[in-house]
Amino acid sequence: MEDRVVPWQIGNIAYSTHAKVLYPPEMARVINRAKRPLIVVGSGLTEKLELNLFDYVIELSKTRNLPVVASGNTYKEFIARNFKPVAILGILELINLIKDQNWRGFDGKGQYDVLILLGIFPLLANQALFAAKHFASIITISIDQHYEPNATFSFSNSTVEEWKENLNELCANLKK
Amino acid sequence: MKNSIMKNYDKSTTSDLLIKGEGLEVYIGEIAEETWKEEKIGPTPEPNVTALREWDFKLLKRYPPFYSPVCDLCCLCTTGKCDLSKGRKGACGIDIKTQQARVSLLTSCMGTSAHAGHARHLLEHLIEKYGPTHPIDLGLNIEVEAPLIRLVLGIRPKKLIDLRKPVDYVEKQLIHLMSATNIGQEKSHLDFESKALHAGMLDLIALEVADIAQIVSLKMPKADPEAPLVDFGLGTVDTSKPVVLCIGHNVLPAASVAEYLEKTGLNDRVEICGVCCTAQDIARINPKAKVIGSLARQLYAVKSGIADVIIVDEQCVRTDTMEEAQKIKSVVIATNDKICMGLPNRTDDDPDKTVEELVNGVIPGALILDPEVVGEVAVKAALRLSDQRAQFKKLIKKEELIELAKKCTECQMCNRACPNNLPVYEGMRLAKEGYLEKLAEIYELCIGCGRCEVECKTKLPIISMLSKAGEKSFKDEKYKLRCGRGPIQDVEIRNVGRPIVFGEIPGVIAFAGCPNYPKSGKELVEIAEEFLKRRYIIVATGCSAMSLAMHKDEEGKTIYEKYPGNFDAGGIVNLGSCVTNSHAAGAAVKIASIFARRPLRANYEVISDYILNRIGAVGIVWGIMAQKAFAITTGLNRLGIPIIFGPYGSRFRRLFLGRKDLPENWEIYDYRTKEKMLGEPAPEHLSCVVETKEEAIVMAARLCIRPNDTAIGRKIKLSHYIDLSKKYLGETPSDLDLYVRSENDIPITIKEEVLQFLSAKGWKPRKIPLDPTILDPAKLHPSLLRPE
């Protein structure tokens, strides 16, 4: 179990605050309580097409009508699945907006309160979460396969099979 | 006589000359620049740390620093470690944002120091060898020989010795900048960033000195668009011959080897090859030299065992080179005061005695600080060692690889150690069964850091295993690289100045940086080729220029064989090693000076403002590892040139991100009417990070847009921007309305579609500044804009 809550990448340590590991039902509760949640996805989705993560994100989005930001090279794949993300935007550009409390969001209705990340190139996700941790008032949730120390909440390190189970359980626990 | 005098030059003095002879000491004060009467000195000659602060603050207002720390802590003093998370302050009172800015300055200073040290070392040696009055002659087509030195210092160097003043200036400024990073000094993150920008500017000066000095002294190509195509790749090295491998950035020792081979007629008997920028530069001197590849190939080249002698000079040399060399019984010659490696100093010893000690294993390597001695020792040692080392020049056998793979405990630490998350463990599992394809794939993608080997609990030689698995690629690594041509000719600038400034050549895209790409370097080729086909100008330097040569098309041609080497639409220009990044910046400065006739001399703000608003140039730094790359990009930023980093760019903690959703951030003046008006986010960012090549391509097209584009130019730029966005991201860019100033800007072939888009956005035409500037026209004296 100890290995499950250490940063996956060697050396990615020495933080004073670490992400809390949550099981899918607890994570779902955080998202269910959120007023303005937002999903951001990255190139990991196109690299792991065999895992059908695009379909998963669409399903996740539909549970609570969660807006999705397409980062990396993901937008085209969503469109091919008749799903329209709310924006095409780089992850750090997104965090730059999120750290501004006066930003009104993509729909003009106000700043977001929970950011869910999936499939961003790990090193970049780490830096984005670092920036969010220090400079933004937002809860960040990593639902990637490996523990992400700079998020507010993260899954633990897991096998692909365990991870897929976690993802499905998370989706199942979200309010429709 | 001159040489003997210069040998006595006291390097501890700065701008003054001190000549020592027997019983004689003569100081000669700084010689006034009397010869440059055509151009009046501008407002900021030799700017001190705060002289350009106002310009920096203008940039920082538009592009506020965005920080992504790599650690919650500050560990720089003894009272700490201090936790700076959750709004905490350190024992000195610093907060996390200011700490990041402080590290940004430190990083910039580290990079600049490396280049300034390089420039000083090179310059002093060349002055000693060729004399202080050796002319700075960059060929017939170059009159503006040192655009950055002219711009920053306000001087025109004519002889080698004239390059001392710029280096003196850089060194002095660096001391002040570094001092600001000490505890208790600077308090403002913006002032730290202004200082980091200052360091970046100094960096480009150091680079310019280094490359000019070596071009004029070492007979490198002088702005030659048809510089020779040279052999490139590990597979081009003839391992049946004695091999001398040169690693680093300072070409002097490698040049000494080439000179010795020439002098002794051994050119055909000994292979000289190199890794990293020394390789680029030795090929500029001796086109027969083999360029193995970028920094990413360093560990592979050393571990391959092909080198009988490894010469290291400075910068980007792996710290474990000695350890790795000993495993394959190569000897190491360290040649520079920055990297002595704990080796015994044999600079003044009899070269033959040193060779004897090296060949007989009395010493594993030697420190030889006189480049002239290095050549003789290296060649003689390689000739003696080659036969006795034959067994180390072979790859491991396939059966050995499989047996080694069977020892893998499948702990996955290799995967966790890999910065790029490559599936090494999965490759090992398959290799156990004899399937090497996965490991071969990893060889292609590997950035050669060796962290997997360090973490391997069974100490498997993973790099050697990958080399074997990727043997076909390894042996087939035979490409053609157009060797570095040096600066851009003035005549080329005259030809392209107008179309660039008006936007008819849609942009200049410069590839620079290190080879730690998120994926294969092939992506770099794909990005470059997309823009070459669209008639952008492509410029490349350092490791990026080498990576661009590492892929062939179906006809077996590399990008350098397919496209011309001139600075014109559809051309790909390899400027040379890292130091030639100065020429990329210099080309932008020359456009302002030669084409637009903006006074250049010590006129930094006006020239940078010109570049920011008119020259559609952008840098793509797809990999970044060295602090030097951070200094270079920061220097380009101060000149108004935006940079796109690959993911690794986020690890240097600071970006300059614009906010296109805040129109008030883009106010601009029209110098002609003196009117202030709402402008456009062009360029949107001064430095940003993207995750994928698709994002990089679209971002590059966007960042080439400038307020000064004519309607024709803007049409061309927008047609590429829209087309690339649709092709790579799947949609018309959502910010298109921000870049259409009037209907005249809309590309004709898609006018209806764009008008529909604009109508949905509630778009309205807006005023176009005829003479765009972010400088306050009331403070701009006309003489700064037009020669009197």
Side-chain angles (χ1 to χ4, degrees):
Chain A
M1 184 61 194
E2 198 181 297
D3 259 9
R4 291 180 167 249
V5 291
V6 296
W8 177 252
Q9 211 161 51
I10 305 288
N12 200 5
I13 49 174
Y15 312 109
S16 64
T17 53
H18 297 254
K20 187 174 179 193
V21 171
L22 293 186
Y23 292 106
E26 298 169 302
M27 208 170 255
R29 272 200 291 279
V30 177
I31 299 170
N32 284 333
R33 276 203 298 267
K35 292 191 177 109
R36 299 266 298 155
L38 179 69
I39 302 172
V40 58
V41 298
S43 61
L45 271 64
T46 46
E47 275 168 28
K48 294 172 187 160
L49 280 175
E50 71 281 5
L51 296 178
N52 297 320
L53 291 171
F54 280 102
D55 294 335
Y56 174 77
V57 171
I58 293 168
E59 199 187 329
L60 190 71
S61 164
K62 285 180 178 168
T63 55
R64 290 196 56 203
N65 200 21
L66 306 175
V68 175
V69 173
S71 186
N73 47 8
T74 54
Y75 189 85
K76 268 171 115 170
E77 291 286 341
F78 281 118
I79 295 299
R81 289 165 173 78
N82 292 318
F83 178 85
K84 194 167 168 55
V86 70
I88 304 173
L89 199 64
I91 178 69
L92 296 186
E93 291 171 281
L94 174 64
I95 300 294
N96 195 35
L97 296 172
I98 281 176
K99 74 184 179 62
D100 176 3
Q101 273 308 299
N102 296 320
W103 183 53
R104 302 297 300 159
F106 294 106
D107 54 5
K109 292 180 181 169
Q111 185 55 276
Y112 301 95
D113 59 354
V114 168
L115 181 65
I116 305 156
L117 292 91
L118 177 67
I120 312 283
F121 186 71
L123 175 150
L124 186 55
N126 191 256
Q127 290 309 113
L129 287 165
F130 244 130
K133 180 167 90 172
H134 286 288
F135 303 114
S137 304
I138 194 165
I139 292 169
T140 52
I141 296 179
S142 169
I143 57 171
D144 275 305
Q145 187 189 347
H146 298 123
Y147 176 66
E148 173 46 69
N150 283 297
T152 318
F153 302 114
S154 170
F155 282 155
S156 61
N157 293 319
S158 52
T159 63
V160 173
E161 291 71 29
E162 289 167 337
W163 177 42
K164 284 180 83 174
E165 274 176 36
N166 283 344
L167 289 174
N168 290 332
E169 205 180 338
L170 171 67
C171 211
N173 278 280
L174 287 179
K175 281 183 198 162
K176 302 291 176 193
Chain B
M1 178 63 186
K2 276 173 192 162
N3 282 356
S4 65
I5 288 174
M6 291 321 303
K7 276 197 174 183
N8 288 327
Y9 171 73
D10 184 341
K11 288 169 192 165
S12 67
T13 61
T14 53
S15 59
D16 291 357
L17 283 175
L18 168 58
I19 300 172
K20 286 179 183 174
E22 260 180 55
L24 175 75
E25 280 192 5
V26 182
Y27 287 92
I28 303 170
E30 194 177 309
I31 298 163
E33 168 71 56
E34 292 289 346
T35 53
W36 196 357
K37 289 180 180 160
E38 313 88 278
E39 196 169 325
K40 227 174 82 176
I41 191 94
T44 53
E46 297 187 48
N48 63 21
V49 171
T50 53
L52 295 167
R53 186 170 176 258
E54 208 173 312
W55 168 250
D56 296 337
F57 274 44
K58 278 187 173 33
L59 291 177
L60 296 169
K61 190 179 169 204
R62 256 190 169 202
Y63 307 103
F66 169 90
Y67 296 111
S68 55
V70 295
C71 178
D72 296 336
L73 312 176
C74 173
C75 319
L76 293 182
C77 86
T78 60
T79 313
K81 304 175 180 179
C82 290
D83 180 0
L84 305 180
S85 66
K86 296 181 178 169
R88 293 184 185 98
K89 287 183 178 174
C92 65
I94 203 163
D95 63 16
I96 187 85
K97 186 193 263 188
T98 316
Q99 174 67 2
Q100 302 317 300
R102 182 186 183 196
V103 177
S104 170
L105 172 57
L106 266 173
T107 311
S108 213
C109 284
M110 286 165 81
T112 303
S113 302
H115 285 144
H118 177 184
R120 172 65 81 190
H121 182 269
L122 197 60
L123 180 64
E124 294 307 333
H125 180 81
L126 294 173
I127 287 175
E128 190 172 316
K129 186 165 179 178
Y130 296 93
T133 57
H134 187 78
I136 290 175
D137 171 13
L138 289 164
L140 287 176
N141 291 318
I142 293 196
E143 279 179 27
V144 182
E145 71 304 291
L148 299 172
I149 292 170
R150 287 184 178 208
L151 175 67
V152 177
L153 284 96
I155 60 167
R156 282 191 307 192
K158 297 208 178 289
K159 328 178 269 298
L160 271 184
I161 199 164
D162 296 339
L163 294 173
R164 267 196 186 138
K165 187 170 179 179
V167 185
D168 289 346
Y169 163 69
V170 170
E171 288 169 349
K172 276 184 196 168
Q173 292 297 306
L174 266 173
I175 291 167
H176 292 290
L177 292 173
M178 274 304 289
S179 76
T181 65
N182 192 73
I183 189 168
Q185 298 270 51
E186 187 54 78
K187 319 294 180 203
S188 149
H189 75 283
L190 291 178
D191 268 308
F192 268 128
E193 292 299 354
S194 169
K195 290 176 172 68
L197 288 164
H198 194 63
M201 181 194 73
L202 302 175
D203 185 72
L204 295 179
I205 296 289
L207 298 181
E208 192 173 65
V209 168
D211 206 46
I212 289 176
Q214 63 182 10
I215 289 174
V216 300
S217 308
L218 300 176
K219 295 181 184 162
M220 292 179 174
K222 293 180 174 177
D224 180 5
E226 291 175 9
L229 287 162
V230 297
D231 286 336
F232 176 84
L234 203 45
T236 63
V237 181
D238 183 351
T239 53
S240 67
K241 295 178 184 174
V243 175
V244 178
L245 169 65
C246 305
I247 303 174
H249 282 250
N250 187 326
V251 75
L252 291 175
S256 145
V257 175
E259 214 169 86
Y260 185 78
L261 289 175
E262 189 70 44
K263 194 170 75 183
T264 51
L266 289 168
N267 246 332
D268 294 329
R269 278 193 58 199
V270 177
E271 284 282 85
I272 173 168
C273 57
V275 170
C276 216
C277 282
T278 287
Q280 274 250 42
D281 280 343
I282 188 64
R284 292 166 81 186
I285 298 170
N286 177 359
K288 283 185 183 168
K290 309 287 170 60
V291 182
I292 288 181
S294 67
L295 174 60
R297 282 288 177 260
Q298 188 174 148
L299 193 55
Y300 281 95
V302 173
K303 279 178 174 281
S304 72
I306 60 169
D308 299 299
V309 174
I310 298 170
I311 296 175
V312 299
D313 49 80
E314 61 176 293
Q315 307 161 52
C316 303
V317 178
R318 287 185 60 93
T319 308
D320 57 1
T321 302
M322 191 74 230
E323 188 186 326
E324 292 298 335
Q326 284 183 305
K327 288 181 195 165
I328 44 134
K329 307 288 181 203
S330 298
V331 299
V332 175
I333 302 178
T335 60
N336 196 291
D337 55 6
K338 286 101 177 168
I339 305 178
C340 298
M341 297 176 114
L343 292 169
N345 191 343
R346 295 288 187 265
T347 307
D348 298 322
D349 288 15
D350 172 15
D352 287 322
K353 192 176 156 226
T354 308
V355 170
E356 210 59 43
E357 284 184 309
L358 289 169
V359 171
N360 295 326
V362 178
I363 51 173
L367 173 66
I368 303 177
L369 295 170
D370 183 350
E372 306 304 317
V373 181
V374 174
E376 181 181 352
V377 173
V379 171
K380 284 181 172 172
L383 284 164
R384 300 262 307 269
L385 283 164
S386 184
D387 287 342
Q388 70 189 57
R389 284 193 64 262
Q391 58 177 310
F392 295 102
K393 295 194 178 194
K394 293 171 188 159
L395 291 174
I396 58 171
K397 291 185 179 136
K398 185 179 175 184
E399 301 74 43
E400 282 178 75
L401 190 162
I402 294 167
E403 286 309 308
L404 284 165
K406 284 179 182 169
K407 292 181 187 169
C408 170
T409 60
E410 302 187 11
C411 67
Q412 299 195 48
M413 291 304 278
C414 46
N415 284 20
R416 293 178 63 175
C418 179
N420 270 348
N421 306 293
L422 293 174
V424 185
Y425 138 77
E426 288 83 350
M428 287 296 170
R429 269 177 58 184
L430 289 166
K432 288 179 183 182
E433 311 297 323
Y435 302 112
L436 305 187
E437 294 79 3
K438 192 82 182 170
L439 287 183
E441 272 175 39
I442 294 168
Y443 171 78
E444 295 288 336
L445 301 172
C446 175
I447 59 171
C449 70
R451 278 176 37 162
C452 50
E453 278 195 6
V454 173
E455 288 300 327
C456 180
K457 288 174 180 170
T458 38
K459 300 290 168 212
L460 292 176
I462 298 173
I463 296 292
S464 303
M465 293 166 81
L466 290 173
S467 298
K468 177 62 188 176
E471 186 174 16
K472 191 172 176 306
S473 309
F474 189 85
K475 286 186 175 161
D476 283 352
E477 273 187 11
K478 293 178 184 173
Y479 308 98
K480 288 288 181 189
L481 165 81
R482 189 172 300 286
C483 85
R485 56 167 277 179
I488 306 301
Q489 297 176 6
D490 295 5
V491 68
E492 288 176 295
I493 296 290
R494 277 188 199 101
N495 291 339
V496 298
R498 185 183 178 283
I500 288 175
V501 169
F502 292 165
E504 290 146 17
I505 288 178
V508 181
I509 299 181
F511 289 85
C514 315
N516 53 342
Y517 310 124
K519 284 189 189 168
S520 148
K522 192 178 176 190
E523 288 193 330
L524 221 57
V525 182
E526 289 164 357
I527 298 171
E529 195 139 29
E530 181 65 68
F531 286 109
L532 281 167
K533 286 178 189 160
R534 291 169 185 269
R535 312 276 297 157
Y536 286 65
I537 300 174
I538 299 295
V539 171
T541 61
C543 284
S544 291
M546 290 186 257
S547 297
L548 282 167
M550 282 193 74
H551 294 277
K552 294 177 187 171
D553 66 4
E554 316 78 61
E555 292 172 24
K557 288 184 175 172
T558 68
I559 204 165
Y560 293 106
E561 293 168 281
K562 285 170 74 177
Y563 297 93
N566 51 336
F567 189 75
D568 203 347
I572 179 162
V573 180
N574 176 14
L575 296 173
S577 58
C578 278
V579 291
T580 66
N581 278 299
S582 56
H583 305 315
V589 171
K590 279 194 190 188
I591 290 173
S593 160
I594 295 174
F595 160 69
R597 301 192 63 238
R598 285 279 198 268
L600 172 60
R601 194 176 180 191
N603 197 16
Y604 195 91
E605 286 190 350
V606 165
I607 295 290
S608 301
D609 178 66
Y610 185 94
I611 294 170
L612 177 73
N613 287 301
R614 293 162 200 262
I615 298 179
V618 57
I620 296 183
V621 178
W622 202 229
I624 178 163
M625 184 177 178
Q627 293 80 6
K628 298 179 300 162
F630 184 79
I632 292 168
T633 57
T634 304
L636 293 171
N637 287 161
R638 195 182 219 191
L639 269 177
I641 298 172
I643 302 292
I644 301 167
F645 292 110
Y648 282 85
S650 61
R651 280 273 162 96
F652 270 131
R653 299 172 181 83
R654 179 265 280 146
L655 300 172
F656 295 128
L657 295 181
R659 284 279 300 272
K660 63 186 168 197
D661 59 315
L662 301 176
E664 65 273 19
N665 285 8
W666 304 99
E667 283 182 339
I668 200 161
Y669 293 100
D670 185 344
Y671 181 74
R672 276 196 218 172
T673 61
K674 312 289 188 273
E675 190 184 350
K676 196 177 193 180
M677 59 183 75
L678 284 181
E680 54 189 343
E684 183 193 359
H685 304 303
L686 211 46
S687 65
C688 62
V689 163
V690 297
E691 186 181 356
T692 61
K693 71 162 195 243
E694 290 85 356
E695 285 175 298
I697 288 171
V698 178
M699 182 66 83
R702 189 194 310 157
L703 293 187
C704 284
I705 296 172
R706 291 293 181 279
N708 191 64
D709 298 336
T710 60
I712 294 171
R714 183 60 64 91
K715 270 194 188 84
I716 294 168
K717 289 188 181 183
L718 287 183
S719 97
H720 290 302
Y721 179 41
I722 295 166
D723 188 48
L724 289 167
S725 183
K726 284 180 179 173
K727 181 176 175 183
Y728 287 102
L729 298 181
E731 200 177 65
T732 300
S734 61
D735 57 5
L736 180 59
D737 53 313
L738 301 177
Y739 297 109
V740 179
R741 301 162 298 182
S742 79
E743 283 196 26
N744 292 336
D745 287 345
I746 303 172
I748 293 161
T749 50
I750 48 171
K751 189 158 190 174
E752 211 157 299
E753 175 194 330
V754 172
L755 282 171
Q756 269 181 18
F757 175 93
L758 294 175
S759 161
K761 286 263 192 177
W763 172 86
K764 287 194 176 65
R766 57 187 166 76
K767 267 189 176 176
I768 302 174
L770 297 168
D771 202 347
T773 174
I774 64 168
L775 299 172
D776 183 352
K779 294 181 185 171
L780 268 179
H781 192 275
S783 66
L784 299 176
L785 302 177
R786 293 277 175 272
E788 284 180 330

